[in-house]
Amino acid sequence: MLVGCNRLSDLVIGTVRTQSSDSLVTDSASSATAFACGNASGGRLGPIGVDDNGIPVASILEAAHLSGLRTGLVVTTRLSHATPACKTVDYVLNGYFIMIEASLLAYIKQYIDSHPDTHLLSAADHECGGLTLEDGYNPTALQGANHTFEYLGQLFGDYKGNKGAYLKDKLLPMYGLLDVSSDNIEALVKIAQDRGVGALGVAAGNLLASEAGLHWSTEGHTAADVVLYGYANKDALRAMKDLIGRNINNNDIPLYIEEVLGLSLADTTRALRKDGVDWVGRRDELHLVKRAGKARARGHDH
């Protein structure tokens, strides 16, 4: 629960459309470019930080840095992953611009309450899963899940004894699954052996979802809009809602940050290109990458 906030929904100010320039279902690279650079690019599995012609475009982080702000980037994955550029959470404070992936909004909200010159924006780069409710929807089945399967998977991987018994008697009850059949336990252990702990987590999640009456249409990206969370002091929050408190495009978010901080993405992009763009790679090579990515995407069940 958010401290000083009854519900996470209290921070909702709008929704975000996530499509790329040529596909309703975006790739992480395209959505990262939109979120970071204010530029809608296309191509499933395409390159990051360039427009549709393969020419580099500057990010809001670069614009903040060149304007004299101190900048930072905190991620839960490798820095070369597309998503960090997409900045799941942004906030600005006293001459800082910080992008934090997968942060806890409660702590940032507390900080803003005591530092009213700070703004918070949070949105996913795309929706995953395609969540729907089935007949017999029962959210109380989720109450017993007290740990993520990322944590439980680490315990499972480290355990040296009888994996099936450990899974049934120790781990799955902490995940809210209290009465899993022997056949399902055997199947889960085999999934872990054949495909790894990550696949085990997906399978266990599907069992829990089934008990709760939830259904996921895919394990990949979807075209659904995502929620936009925002927070600031009273006057700034009103201005934020006036500017972006509705259904917006993903590339509108850095344009809002640009306006609030008095930055110029256009000037930063010109500076980025001033010595030429040959270092990016040939555009025909980028188009080959994009075409190959589209071919792979067409054959993928996501």
Side-chain angles (χ1 to χ4, degrees):
M1 178 179 292
L2 291 176
V3 178
C5 183
N6 292 330
R7 297 173 303 275
L8 182 62
S9 59
D10 290 342
L11 299 182
V12 174
I13 64 170
T15 54
V16 182
R17 298 185 292 273
T18 62
Q19 70 268 21
S20 66
S21 64
D22 63 358
S23 176
L24 288 175
V25 180
T26 188
D27 172 71
S28 293
S30 298
S31 60
T33 302
F35 268 92
C37 306
N39 188 88
S41 64
R44 292 275 295 170
L45 307 177
I48 191 171
V50 297
D51 62 20
D52 278 334
N53 295 314
I55 304 299
V57 287
S59 73
I60 195 71
L61 187 76
E62 291 170 311
H65 176 73
L66 290 181
S67 74
L69 296 179
R70 286 170 288 180
T71 58
L73 174 62
V74 181
V75 301
T76 57
T77 183
R78 67 184 189 276
L79 285 172
S80 58
H81 196 281
T83 302
C86 186
K87 58 185 184 301
T88 303
V89 177
D90 310 320
Y91 65 97
V92 184
L93 60 155
N94 295 332
Y96 286 82
F97 179 84
I98 305 178
M99 303 193 303
I100 305 178
E101 181 194 13
S103 185
L104 296 176
L105 300 186
Y107 298 110
I108 299 177
K109 180 185 181 299
Q110 285 180 281
Y111 185 92
I112 294 172
D113 286 337
S114 58
H115 298 77
D117 57 346
T118 307
H119 294 196
L120 161 71
L121 288 176
S122 176
D125 53 346
H126 50 73
E127 199 273 344
C128 281
L131 176 65
T132 57
L133 306 183
E134 299 176 339
D135 289 340
Y137 171 57
N138 177 27
T140 60
L142 304 175
Q143 291 179 330
N146 298 314
H147 297 279
T148 67
F149 214 90
E150 181 180 13
Y151 167 71
L152 298 179
Q154 291 176 346
L155 297 180
F156 180 85
D158 293 339
Y159 188 71
K160 304 304 182 184
N162 185 316
K163 295 279 194 179
Y166 184 59
L167 190 62
K168 179 179 177 64
D169 299 333
K170 182 69 173 179
L171 299 186
L172 292 181
M174 291 192 288
Y175 196 56
L177 294 169
L178 302 177
D179 190 22
V180 181
S181 69
S182 297
D183 287 344
N184 278 333
I185 292 294
E186 183 178 342
L188 290 172
V189 172
K190 189 174 189 318
I191 287 172
Q193 291 172 341
D194 295 345
R195 296 161 51 197
V197 173
L200 170 62
V202 172
N206 286 335
L207 286 178
L208 182 61
S210 179
E211 290 199 6
L214 303 174
H215 177 72
W216 301 94
S217 61
T218 176
E219 294 176 12
H221 302 184
T222 76
D225 294 352
V226 297
V227 175
L228 175 63
Y229 301 95
Y231 189 68
N233 68 37
K234 292 181 180 179
D235 292 338
L237 182 58
R238 279 194 292 269
M240 179 189 293
K241 290 180 177 179
D242 286 343
L243 289 171
I244 56 173
R246 57 187 183 279
N247 182 249
I248 62 174
N249 289 320
N250 49 10
N251 59 315
D252 288 329
I253 291 179
L255 301 182
Y256 166 79
I257 298 171
E258 176 187 40
E259 179 173 338
V260 169
L261 293 182
L263 307 176
S264 174
L265 282 168
D267 288 347
T268 309
T269 294
R270 281 191 287 270
L272 186 66
R273 299 175 179 177
K274 69 177 182 178
D275 294 324
V277 296
D278 291 342
W279 52 272
V280 178
R282 297 205 317 270
R283 277 173 281 179
D284 57 341
E285 292 176 341
L286 293 176
H287 288 307
L288 288 174
V289 170
K290 291 170 69 173
R291 283 199 295 270
K294 288 180 180 180
R296 289 194 298 271
R298 284 194 295 271
H300 202 281
D301 62 0
H302 287 177

